[in-house]
Amino acid sequence: MRRLAWLCVLLSAAVAGGVIRENSSHAGASFNVLPKEPGVYPVDTQGNPIESLTIGQSLHVGVVGLKPNTVYEFRMGVDEAELPNLERAVAFGRAMTNARGQIEPFILWYQSGVVGCSDRPRFKEAPFRFRDFEEAMKALEGRTLTVSVHPVARDAKGTTPPMQLPVGAAEGGFRLPLKLVADAPLVFASNDSGCLLNASEANGSEMYVSGRGFQAGEALEVAVVPNQRAWREGDTLTDVTGENFAPAVERVFADSAGRFTAPVWKQTLQRRGVYDIVVRRLQFEPPQGQLGRLDVVSYGIDTGYVLYLIYPIGGPTMDIAGRPVPGFPYFEFADAFADTNDPVWGAVDPTYVPAGHPGGTWAAYYVVNHRNPIQWGANNTLVDVSGGIEIHPVKAGCINGTDTIIWNAPLNVGKYDVVVDFGSTVANTAAAFSTDGQYNSALDFLDGADQIGFEAGKDPYTLGTFPVGQDSYSTDNFFPTMGAASNVDLRAVIRYPATVAGVGTAVAAGTHPIFIMEHGNHGFCRNAGQTHATCTNRVRNHEGYMRLLDNLASHGIIAISIDAYDLTGPVPQWITERGTLILKHLELWSHLNNAATFPTYPNYFAGRFTGKVDMTKISISGHSRGGEASVAAYMLNTTFNIGSVSSIAPVDGQAHTLPAAVPYFVILPAADGDVSSLSGTKIYDRALGTKSSIDVYGANHNFFNTVWALDGDDSSPARQDFIAAANQQRIGEAWLAAFTRLHLKNEVVYGDMMRGRLVFPSFSGFKIYPTHHENQHLRLVSGNAAAFTGAGALTLASVNNPAPHQTQVVRANWTAGTATATHTVPVALRDTTGLEVVAFRVARTTSALNPAAGSQDFTIQLVGGGITRGTTVAKFDTIPKPYPHPYGFTHTVMTSVRVPLHTFIMNNSGLPLNNVDTVRFIFNSPTTGEIYVDDVEFSR
């Protein structure tokens, strides 16, 4: 739903290195040019090095040269010699370094501690926290900041509360003088008396901007513009404060002290979102419509101002597109649809309709091509693209009184908004309704504008529009040694976006992301008794993924499947060497793109790929031993920008923990006859970032590779839910292609597929159970039974590592329908605004208490403000029977349940999503059962 209720930007991170230094100086530091000296460095809002901090500005720091993939704690104090603990820290935070031991500049201390007059969130009184800049200047002039950075112990299982993890001694830091610069221009959002505000409720009051440090009487123009991460001279400026987001720049004059406070945005014209403030100094005649060298921008990489809406939204922008649900809550809003077999429904939740809304009862549903807020402001004409508008009652006591299909499949691939148009007259009957064909933001409802209403996507198995070029490269024994291995070949097959299809054709225009696949262990020679060195009829294991390579190439990705021939055999597994081989192929491709890099490699293609490879966008994958090797490659990498990692049925001998910075996806074949332990679940459990998995009932190990499939079935062909090789290959390809294109091509429609919310024909009808975790979440319970209070015929216990997992879970066993498990949400985690679902992982055990047929189900309730609302789990996700492995054992693989938070406020329930104090499970249908539960959280 991507629905932010109100937003307060609070960044926290931690980095450092070396020793604490005086007046830290790193010449040339910027967002793109890192200092050569290892350690932590302070910069200004544009990433330039500083040797003092102007009071009133924010402290930005970056880091190079620390341990890779390590969590660090930042501590900042004022006039402190050292910071051995948090007692004297004025600011602190934590974050993880990347694979190169770096963190880009971020804000550690906002506006020198000035919090102003904001009332959301409410700031407690604390040392070095100020209401205004005068107070800050008086308290801070002549003082010195101390920043130190400390490594935080790893927690592979994720079961220890973060603040209870051991924190090591400082590994580095710096001291930085605080200086008062009276004439340094500064602009900020404020109230009418000039007191700083970071945010306010949209349409709640007029927006003011204040400035200081200008020349007396100076003429200035104040613009409020959409927020961007960083500003550079020449950037386009578009003020949005006028009617329909049109420019309406405010002219002001500084007073005799060089200050001003002026209203700049009428409350009736505001729209929720994030903005920056730019003040143009007219005496310097900056270029019109662009950022001038002496223009003043609020806060640089920080957000200047946030206009939020308090949930639930009572205004013109809302969720409308979705799908019906049988029984309460009757409807689930959605942002993504398949282009076939997935009709778009529209509905208006009474919760969203403002009190006293004058629009009448009947309205028309329009599906229109997506426009951003500026485009809507320039053109509010409605042109339906769905084949016709639907006229329907949109005001009812319950949402299912307003739902209707607004676009029958098939859909056209693209991005769309939905408008509920109340027309030119107030209509309480269909006969009285007359559309005016325009979007009126004061009256009509819109699912879109500052977000996309919904997106329609093609089956990820479908080939794209690029012609597919074909090639390969091969040099025997190119690497004399690789770890413990010797004489390792450099060999791969390639598919790439081309100008015309065929072998050796020209590469399509532009630069293209890169995907590398590595196969796992299998027979390496067709001739019995021959060794790697003597084999004359090799098994071409790396050619088992050709349709996947074609798919990715046809969508603009250079796709490579590498031959790990010399690292194939019964023992050893060569996981580190296999990971290194992936990185060596990346070195080759860096050289093919730019011959000056890694010059010892051959240029196989006479410059065909020069300047054609986007080495900033890399995804790596693997199957079996190659599946763990893809993880190992990421952990070993210190050179390349690997942005995503995936695996098919991986082994897990190295116990690597992927950091939060990298998304991970793993396919688990439930009937795997080779890696029957399903050890990929352990890699998933340990991974710290956004991650997804699918448990495919009836799938085996070999059929994901066409070469292996021809060599035989590794599992019993009589297995339950048997999937034929061609179907299994199609499933694997669709999911891997979706994940890869999501992260290399930003095809965000497939994000909902990873969340288990989008089904395409290539894999529909098969038993596929997804699991998904988002980086953005509030974790409530992770396997701690003591976090729940049980009642009725319920037994709760903590269980460690139930097969095939590596995590602690809660086992809930109940024998009567009176059983309940209640969790009291900590006060700090009760505000769920900005998040979308209450989620948890769950698996039904093999206990006879579970139903013999069908799936398990129970009720989940949220409580807040004395109001309780609930729904049954089965309306959103399936908790299946455990899969009986052909080898005679049964794994309990957990799957995700994700219940939209909107469910609990549907139909004006009154439940406050900014104060959810209780999560409760009620085990009443069926009245007996046993499940494992883990990772209960509020999540995106």
Side-chain angles (χ1 to χ4, degrees):
M1 271 61 77
R2 295 193 288 271
R3 182 70 65 205
L4 288 181
W6 64 274
L7 176 64
C8 182
V9 182
L10 294 174
L11 301 178
S12 63
V15 290
V19 296
I20 294 180
R21 302 183 298 273
E22 301 290 337
N23 300 332
S24 169
S25 178
H26 293 271
S30 73
F31 289 128
N32 299 311
V33 182
L34 296 173
K36 296 179 180 179
E37 180 184 350
V40 59
Y41 56 96
V43 296
D44 65 14
T45 60
Q46 300 303 320
N48 301 309
I50 58 173
E51 297 197 9
S52 63
L53 180 70
T54 300
I55 299 171
Q57 301 289 348
S58 299
L59 174 63
H60 305 69
V61 293
V63 78
V64 293
L66 290 193
K67 298 187 187 79
N69 304 314
T70 300
V71 175
Y72 282 89
E73 179 172 285
F74 251 86
R75 297 172 184 170
M76 191 208 78
V78 178
D79 287 345
E80 298 289 340
E82 58 182 1
L83 294 162
N85 52 52
L86 290 176
E87 291 182 4
R88 294 179 176 271
V90 173
F92 94 101
R94 290 183 180 181
M96 180 176 285
T97 52
N98 62 19
R100 296 176 293 280
Q102 302 169 354
I103 292 183
E104 291 188 2
F106 67 96
I107 302 174
L108 180 63
W109 194 33
Y110 285 81
Q111 297 145 316
S112 304
V114 178
V115 298
C117 298
S118 297
D119 60 351
R120 291 180 69 94
R122 299 186 185 279
F123 292 91
K124 297 179 180 178
E125 295 296 326
F128 302 104
R129 188 166 289 170
F130 314 105
R131 298 296 287 178
D132 54 48
F133 291 98
E134 282 73 23
E135 184 180 348
M137 292 174 180
K138 182 178 180 180
L140 294 175
E141 185 178 6
R143 293 183 179 246
T144 300
L145 299 180
T146 299
V147 174
S148 61
V149 191
H150 309 251
V152 180
R154 293 183 182 272
D155 179 26
K157 294 184 179 180
T159 56
T160 304
M163 298 312 295
Q164 295 181 18
L165 291 171
V167 179
E171 290 189 356
F174 60 81
R175 293 192 179 91
L176 191 70
L178 284 160
K179 292 189 175 180
L180 175 60
V181 181
D183 59 351
L186 177 69
V187 295
F188 52 93
S190 71
N191 61 15
D192 58 359
S193 62
C195 187
L196 178 145
L197 289 175
N198 287 316
S200 68
E201 185 177 358
N203 310 116
S205 60
E206 197 161 17
M207 177 181 173
Y208 284 77
V209 168
S210 291
R212 56 188 306 144
F214 295 94
Q215 296 179 14
E218 183 176 354
L220 308 164
E221 285 186 349
V222 182
V224 180
V225 299
N227 168 256
Q228 64 184 52
R229 166 76 174 171
W231 288 93
R232 298 288 187 269
E233 184 178 350
D235 283 357
T236 300
L237 296 177
T238 305
D239 180 81
V240 295
T241 59
E243 294 276 355
N244 295 315
F245 250 32
V249 174
E250 190 72 26
R251 176 74 63 92
V252 300
F253 295 88
D255 64 15
S256 59
R259 302 185 180 191
F260 71 87
T261 294
V264 297
W265 199 351
K266 295 179 180 179
Q267 65 188 86
T268 56
L269 302 180
Q270 295 169 5
R271 297 193 184 184
R272 71 186 177 99
V274 288
Y275 303 95
D276 288 329
I277 302 161
V278 178
V279 170
R280 306 177 63 80
R281 307 187 70 176
L282 297 179
Q283 63 178 315
F284 300 113
E285 297 185 357
Q288 290 298 313
Q290 296 180 347
L291 185 70
R293 183 173 62 87
L294 296 178
D295 291 347
V296 182
V297 182
S298 58
Y299 311 139
I301 68 172
D302 188 10
T303 301
Y305 197 63
V306 178
L307 286 171
Y308 58 81
L309 294 174
I310 299 176
Y311 214 110
I313 297 168
T317 307
M318 59 177 63
D319 282 313
I320 297 170
R323 303 178 181 94
V325 174
F328 183 84
Y330 308 114
F331 203 80
E332 180 180 6
F333 294 109
D335 295 320
F337 294 82
D339 67 333
T340 57
N341 302 321
D342 194 11
V344 181
W345 289 64
V348 173
D349 179 7
T351 309
Y352 277 158
V353 179
H357 182 267
T361 301
W362 289 74
Y365 286 100
Y366 280 83
V367 179
V368 301
N369 290 316
H370 171 66
R371 303 173 198 167
N372 63 33
I374 295 174
Q375 291 168 330
W376 273 112
N379 178 16
N380 70 341
T381 301
L382 301 178
V383 178
D384 184 84
V385 297
S386 67
I389 64 174
E390 293 74 29
I391 300 172
H392 200 76
V394 294
K395 291 182 180 177
C398 186
I399 192 171
N400 59 326
T402 72
D403 62 354
T404 186
I405 294 178
I406 59 176
W407 194 354
N408 272 301
L411 317 179
N412 297 324
V413 171
K415 300 175 181 179
Y416 303 96
D417 296 338
V418 182
V419 175
V420 174
D421 173 34
F422 284 92
S424 56
T425 60
V426 176
N428 293 310
T429 66
F433 178 77
S434 175
T435 178
D436 60 6
Q438 294 183 332
Y439 168 61
N440 179 350
S441 61
L443 185 69
D444 301 332
F445 300 154
L446 171 64
D447 185 351
D450 55 347
Q451 60 167 20
I452 297 169
F454 70 89
E455 188 166 358
K458 262 196 182 308
D459 193 320
Y461 183 76
T462 305
L463 295 177
T465 58
F466 283 93
V468 176
Q470 305 175 22
D471 222 316
S472 63
Y473 53 87
S474 179
T475 301
D476 286 346
N477 304 328
F478 185 85
F479 304 104
T481 61
M482 186 173 291
S486 59
N487 296 323
V488 178
D489 299 344
L490 180 65
R491 181 179 296 108
V493 290
I494 314 163
R495 296 293 184 265
Y496 59 91
T499 55
V500 293
V503 177
T505 55
V507 184
T511 59
H512 309 285
I514 188 168
F515 169 85
I516 289 186
M517 182 78 181
E518 184 179 86
H519 66 82
N521 194 54
H522 194 67
F524 63 87
C525 189
R526 299 294 184 191
N527 298 332
Q530 292 188 338
T531 66
H532 283 86
T534 63
C535 182
T536 57
N537 188 12
R538 296 183 176 190
V539 179
R540 305 180 74 82
N541 295 297
H542 62 305
E543 294 184 2
Y545 313 98
M546 301 311 299
R547 179 55 166 71
L548 172 63
L549 302 190
D550 286 344
N551 181 310
L552 296 176
S554 73
H555 288 278
I557 297 169
I558 298 171
I560 303 120
S561 181
I562 66 177
D563 189 357
Y565 171 80
D566 296 300
L567 304 176
T568 301
V571 290
Q573 290 194 334
W574 303 114
I575 298 302
T576 299
E577 289 79 1
R578 280 173 163 273
T580 301
L581 182 60
I582 292 173
L583 298 177
K584 293 298 183 183
H585 280 264
L586 284 174
E587 291 178 356
L588 167 65
W589 279 91
S590 176
H591 175 70
L592 295 176
N593 182 60
N594 179 358
T597 66
F598 303 100
T600 60
Y601 287 90
N603 194 332
Y604 289 108
F605 307 109
R608 190 194 318 158
F609 289 95
T610 299
K612 296 294 187 179
V613 189
D614 187 347
M615 294 299 293
T616 70
K617 295 180 180 178
I618 300 170
S619 185
I620 56 177
S621 186
H623 187 178
S624 194
R625 293 184 188 180
E628 186 180 12
S630 65
V631 176
Y634 185 88
M635 302 304 292
L636 293 167
N637 173 51
T638 59
T639 305
F640 300 106
N641 185 30
I642 298 173
S644 58
V645 179
S646 56
S647 307
I648 304 172
V651 298
D652 181 36
Q654 310 302 307
H656 288 307
T657 299
L658 284 167
V662 62
Y664 180 62
F665 171 64
V666 58
I667 297 176
L668 305 171
D672 195 319
D674 190 349
V675 186
S676 58
S677 64
L678 299 187
S679 53
T681 57
K682 296 179 174 63
I683 301 176
Y684 180 97
D685 288 342
R686 294 192 303 268
L688 299 176
T690 297
K691 51 188 178 180
S692 307
S693 74
I694 54 171
D695 184 17
V696 186
Y697 278 22
N700 71 346
H701 192 81
N702 283 355
F703 283 4
F704 290 108
N705 179 305
T706 58
V707 173
W708 297 1
L710 291 174
D711 287 345
D713 190 341
D714 57 278
S715 189
S716 168
R719 59 186 175 270
Q720 183 175 303
D721 303 313
F722 175 87
I723 304 176
N727 290 337
Q728 186 172 316
Q729 289 151 16
R730 187 173 67 248
I731 292 168
E733 180 183 323
W735 281 86
L736 279 175
F739 175 79
T740 304
R741 287 160 54 189
L742 169 64
H743 293 288
L744 289 185
K745 301 289 289 185
N746 196 34
E747 296 184 48
V748 296
V749 68
Y750 298 122
D752 267 11
M753 180 173 157
M754 295 296 124
R755 298 181 188 101
R757 285 294 180 267
L758 197 55
V759 177
F760 290 96
S762 59
F763 56 87
S764 67
F766 297 96
K767 295 180 179 178
I768 300 173
Y769 301 102
T771 306
H772 184 78
H773 282 84
E774 295 275 354
N775 260 342
Q776 185 182 351
H777 67 266
L778 298 174
R779 183 67 52 80
L780 304 178
V781 181
S782 289
N784 180 13
F788 287 102
T789 300
L794 177 69
T795 301
L796 299 171
S798 295
V799 177
N800 288 320
N801 305 326
H805 290 279
Q806 186 179 346
T807 185
Q808 187 181 66
V809 302
V810 176
R811 183 179 63 211
N813 174 297
W814 67 97
T815 57
T818 58
T820 62
T822 301
H823 173 73
T824 301
V825 179
V827 173
L829 304 180
R830 292 180 178 179
D831 190 345
T832 71
T833 51
L835 300 173
E836 294 188 9
V837 297
V838 56
F840 52 90
R841 290 199 294 172
V842 61
R844 56 180 287 179
T845 72
T846 57
S847 170
L849 292 172
N850 287 309
S855 62
Q856 181 59 266
D857 194 14
F858 51 90
T859 295
I860 180 170
Q861 290 182 339
L862 298 186
V863 183
I867 296 170
T868 301
R869 289 293 181 270
T871 189
T872 56
V873 167
K875 285 186 170 61
F876 299 95
D877 290 288
T878 299
I879 308 172
K881 294 177 63 175
Y883 185 80
H885 195 282
Y887 286 3
F889 54 83
T890 300
H891 287 310
T892 51
V893 179
M894 289 187 285
T895 187
S896 281
V897 170
R898 293 169 54 86
V899 181
L901 289 168
H902 193 110
T903 298
F904 303 93
I905 66 162
M906 200 77 82
N907 301 325
N908 282 310
S909 77
L911 180 79
L913 287 182
N914 62 353
N915 187 25
V916 178
D917 56 57
T918 304
V919 175
R920 180 178 295 119
F921 297 131
I922 303 177
F923 303 107
N924 55 357
S925 178
T927 56
T928 65
E930 184 176 87
I931 58 171
Y932 294 138
V933 178
D934 191 24
D935 298 334
V936 183
E937 60 193 26
F938 300 124
S939 178
R940 185 204 178 286

